[in-house]
Amino acid sequence: MTYDRTVSVEGTFEETVQVVRRALADQGFGVLTEIDVQATLKTKLGHDMEPYLILGACNPSLAHQALELDRTIGLLLPCNIVVREDGDRVLVQAIDPATMVTLTGIDDLESVADEVTARLDAALASARTSHS
């Protein structure tokens, strides 16, 4: 089972992070948290790795709809957007919102998942084409 939605982006890591932030905002997502995995692993473990950033994005209206159906759904909300270097390209990744429906079996979540999917796909497509 594929659980991610991934696009490959031409451009630098820093440029891509800025493009992704704008693309998410254009789709109604705010970035609430940011985890610099590269810096954290270097500081805590002395481990060197490629740039890897997790943006905690949220669309309040859609999150509210999902939480009204199932309070535990917070565990599965597609909030994390990963921006990471992969060789000479940058990947932007999000969890496939359909996993909320698949894992919970709550059919009423399907309309929320569909809306989140459309918005995430639009943001990912915008990030991919902004450098072209």
Side-chain angles (χ1 to χ4, degrees):
M1 173 180 154
T2 301
Y3 62 91
D4 66 305
R5 303 184 87 69
T6 300
V7 295
S8 178
V9 178
E10 306 259 338
T12 69
F13 178 80
E14 293 79 15
E15 291 170 338
T16 302
V17 169
Q18 294 310 311
V19 166
V20 168
R21 286 179 185 279
R22 283 191 303 273
L24 288 169
D26 289 346
Q27 293 300 318
F29 293 91
V31 175
L32 306 177
T33 61
E34 182 175 312
I35 302 168
D36 184 338
V37 176
Q38 180 189 40
T40 300
L41 293 183
K42 180 66 175 174
T43 301
K44 300 291 185 183
L45 302 175
H47 177 74
D48 289 316
M49 71 176 289
E50 71 281 0
Y52 193 114
L53 184 68
I54 302 172
L55 300 174
C58 178
N59 180 301
S61 175
L62 295 171
H64 176 255
Q65 288 177 47
L67 287 164
E68 287 299 300
L69 292 168
D70 179 12
R71 290 289 199 235
T72 307
I73 202 67
L75 295 167
L76 300 174
L77 288 177
C79 298
N80 289 339
I81 307 298
V82 172
V83 181
R84 65 185 179 94
E85 279 189 1
D86 184 41
D88 62 348
R89 62 189 180 149
V90 179
L91 297 180
V92 181
Q93 301 178 290
I95 193 165
D96 186 335
T99 59
M100 291 188 305
V101 180
T102 303
L103 292 175
T104 64
I106 300 173
D107 293 335
D108 289 344
L109 282 170
E110 193 166 346
S111 64
V112 177
D114 289 346
E115 179 68 21
V116 175
T117 298
R119 289 173 183 253
L120 280 178
D121 283 352
L124 293 173
S126 178
R128 182 179 29 200
T129 59
S130 291
H131 294 298
S132 299

